[in-house]
Amino acid sequence: METTTAQNSDHQGKRWNHLRKILERSGPFCPPNFTASNETLEFLQNTCKILVIGAGGLGCELLKDLALMGFRDIHVIDMDTIELSNLNRQFLFRRADIGKSKADCAAAFVNARIPGCTVTPHFCKIQDFDASFYRQFHIIVCGLDSIVARRWINGMLISMLEYEEDGSVDETSIIPLVDGGTEGFKGNARVILPGMTACIDCTLDLFPPQVTYPLCTIANTPRLPEHCIEYVKIIQWPKENPFGSDIGLDGDDPAHITWVYEKAQERANTFNITGLSYRLVQGVLKNIIPAVASTNAVIAAACATEVFKIASSCCEPLNNYMVFNDSDGIYTYTYEAEKKSDCLACSTVPRPVDVVDPNTMTLQDLIQHLCDSAEFQMKNPGLTASINGKNKTLYMATVKSIEEATKGNLTQSLGELGLKDGQEIMVADVTNPNAILIKLKFQSNEVEMA
């Protein structure tokens, strides 16, 4: 028994030798503020607290990498449950886990497999926590498939910043954000120091807008198999109610997918459209982004390395954006994304919105612009403005009583609502925990006078 205990102790001592070689001696790539010490490993293992957001394909890799790098206090947030289609790449899950929480199962797997590591799961949305929860972490690392969630956590970390008397950011209030993303054989990793480097919203135009199909094309002149699927989803399903009037289309239900597939195939045959498949129907209904396990592994490794570098100061972190592509050979490129002076999230400068004619542009048009434009990409904005010295809610859909009281404003022009050139409007949206400012910019004084 004593021999076994001694062997285990010896194994634990040797287990971190590869890290000690990095942390307990200086090297040519160490920054000036790095001090070789055995206390750094002690900090990583017993003090440093990491939050992983997302326990999917990228999140599973991140949890594994961070736990094996010596981080012992890890929290993970994920609101999803495990599906059969997850099992080919989300390796912390098994068939028996289908239907269970991703966060719970991932945490249980890592805790059972890696001695000394404690992963705490949170089966919920990131929006369910306030600033006090996020303030307890040293570093936050994201493995998300949602731009909205990225923008929200980005806004939360920026809102937690504190400032010195001279207006500079108090560096002790900065919580670094390491963000990874993958799509097929492509991926990216980035390091964000809120208030200092480019944030998610500074580079919002790098995210492609979600693909949508015009209803007129879907209904009258379909050319792609996706058009046929959207037609069945938007028009035929609510019209025929194949499983009952109170049952909505469920992209995870095989019976629902089969029905949509068969109806879409009939429409595709009518218009001589080829390429329809059951898998494509699944992808369109659930807006599935193709995932490749090897890409997830590469990007997660890059993100985990950045977390290690930031936590230990043993090497300068990425500055600040790395792209990866292995669709044809292997290609990587690193560059510094620049901070935007009028960023929606990290600046206090109102973002201008050009208005050609305030007498023809309605409030609905303005809201649609905020949703469709690459620089805003909002989901369901609510607008408030100060008109004649009084705060007025122009429109807000998230509160039913306010929506009823303000929906009449949607058809009114900006001029009819009393909005002027240079008018500042507060906009609240799910993409940011804080309201942002936009500023109307009329194209000419003649238009304003008219």
Side-chain angles (χ1 to χ4, degrees):
M1 185 74 177
E2 291 180 1
T3 303
T4 304
T5 303
Q7 288 175 342
N8 288 338
S9 178
D10 185 55
H11 172 71
Q12 289 296 321
K14 292 180 179 178
R15 180 180 178 186
W16 307 112
N17 280 347
H18 59 297
L19 292 181
R20 289 195 173 95
K21 292 176 182 177
I22 299 172
L23 301 177
E24 296 181 9
R25 62 188 187 191
S26 296
F29 300 106
C30 294
N33 63 334
F34 174 70
T35 302
S37 169
N38 58 6
E39 294 180 0
T40 307
L41 181 58
E42 180 76 15
F43 167 77
L44 296 183
Q45 294 183 329
N46 300 323
T47 305
C48 191
K49 202 168 187 178
I50 307 294
L51 174 64
V52 175
I53 302 179
L58 201 53
C60 284
E61 291 280 355
L62 284 166
L63 288 170
K64 177 259 294 179
D65 289 348
L66 292 169
L68 292 174
M69 284 181 114
F71 294 99
R72 290 177 172 175
D73 191 355
I74 304 171
H75 288 236
V76 59
I77 300 178
D78 198 296
M79 61 178 284
D80 289 338
T81 54
I82 299 163
E83 302 171 13
L84 178 63
S85 61
N86 300 148
L87 302 185
N88 71 326
R89 63 194 182 281
Q90 297 175 22
F91 58 89
L92 298 182
F93 310 135
R94 300 294 181 265
R95 185 176 287 268
D97 297 327
I98 292 175
K100 298 178 183 177
S101 157
K102 286 186 177 181
D104 290 343
C105 291
F109 191 105
V110 175
N111 290 339
R113 194 67 174 265
I114 302 178
C117 182
T118 301
V119 179
T120 304
H122 301 278
F123 179 35
C124 60
K125 299 178 181 179
I126 56 175
Q127 292 87 348
D128 292 342
F129 293 111
D130 59 14
S132 62
F133 172 81
Y134 293 105
R135 197 171 279 117
Q136 67 182 300
F137 298 101
H138 292 90
I139 303 169
I140 295 175
V141 54
C142 293
L144 290 163
D145 59 1
S146 166
I147 297 173
V148 173
R150 279 188 176 93
R151 294 178 68 185
W152 191 92
I153 191 63
N154 175 74
M156 172 57 76
L157 296 182
I158 290 170
S159 71
M160 291 159 53
L161 294 175
E162 297 176 2
Y163 295 87
E164 305 286 1
E165 291 183 1
D166 61 359
S168 61
V169 176
D170 179 358
E171 295 188 10
T172 61
S173 67
I174 295 175
I175 299 177
L177 176 66
V178 179
D179 178 60
T182 66
E183 182 175 340
F185 291 101
K186 301 175 183 178
N188 72 275
R190 63 187 302 184
V191 173
I192 296 170
L193 302 178
M196 296 184 68
T197 65
C199 73
I200 295 289
D201 275 50
C202 285
T203 56
L204 192 58
D205 50 359
L206 292 179
F207 295 106
Q210 185 173 327
V211 177
T212 57
Y213 304 103
L215 186 58
C216 57
T217 301
I218 294 170
N220 302 317
T221 55
R223 299 182 300 277
L224 301 171
E226 290 87 348
H227 293 161
C228 301
I229 299 167
E230 287 288 333
Y231 179 84
V232 176
K233 172 186 173 182
I234 295 172
I235 297 175
Q236 282 190 260
W237 181 279
K239 184 179 179 181
E240 300 185 23
N241 294 317
F243 295 88
S245 58
D246 58 339
I247 297 178
L249 178 55
D250 184 356
D252 293 318
D253 190 323
H256 291 195
I257 297 172
T258 300
W259 188 88
V260 173
Y261 172 62
E262 291 172 351
K263 293 295 182 180
Q265 188 64 66
E266 292 175 7
R267 186 166 177 81
N269 293 339
T270 302
F271 289 89
N272 298 317
I273 295 171
T274 60
L276 191 73
S277 67
Y278 184 90
R279 186 178 181 85
L280 180 63
V281 172
Q282 280 184 305
V284 172
L285 293 182
K286 298 178 64 179
N287 193 29
I288 293 174
I289 298 172
V292 177
S294 59
T295 311
N296 285 335
V298 170
I299 296 302
C303 290
T305 301
E306 294 306 318
V307 172
F308 181 81
K309 286 155 65 176
I310 294 170
S312 66
S313 298
C314 68
C315 190
E316 293 287 356
L318 175 69
N319 185 27
N320 52 39
Y321 202 108
M322 185 272 286
V323 292
F324 170 82
N325 189 337
D326 66 343
S327 56
D328 186 13
I330 296 179
Y331 171 79
T332 63
Y333 179 69
T334 303
Y335 67 94
E336 181 181 358
E338 293 187 3
K339 200 169 182 290
K340 256 189 176 179
S341 59
D342 61 346
C343 172
L344 289 171
C346 67
S347 79
T348 56
V349 179
R351 178 68 67 86
V353 175
D354 291 332
V355 177
V356 176
D357 186 350
N359 296 316
T360 58
M361 186 178 192
T362 65
L363 185 64
Q364 179 65 62
D365 294 334
L366 176 61
I367 291 173
Q368 197 63 45
H369 172 72
L370 295 176
C371 294
D372 294 343
S373 69
E375 62 176 335
F376 291 104
Q377 296 187 39
M378 294 184 178
K379 298 299 177 185
N380 196 10
L383 288 74
T384 304
S386 177
I387 302 175
N388 298 324
K390 295 182 179 180
N391 283 335
K392 179 180 179 181
T393 300
L394 301 175
Y395 181 72
M396 185 176 293
T398 53
V399 181
K400 190 173 181 180
S401 59
I402 300 178
E403 198 272 339
E404 285 294 325
T406 58
K407 65 181 181 181
N409 293 339
L410 292 174
T411 55
Q412 294 192 53
S413 71
L414 302 185
E416 290 172 334
L417 290 170
L419 301 176
K420 307 293 185 181
D421 183 33
Q423 179 86 52
E424 292 186 358
I425 300 176
M426 297 284 290
V427 184
D429 190 61
V430 294
T431 55
N432 199 313
N434 312 297
I436 64 149
L437 268 179
I438 63 172
K439 187 174 184 178
L440 300 182
K441 184 180 179 183
F442 295 173
Q443 291 298 295
S444 69
N445 291 329
E446 292 180 4
V447 172
E448 183 185 359
M449 291 173 65

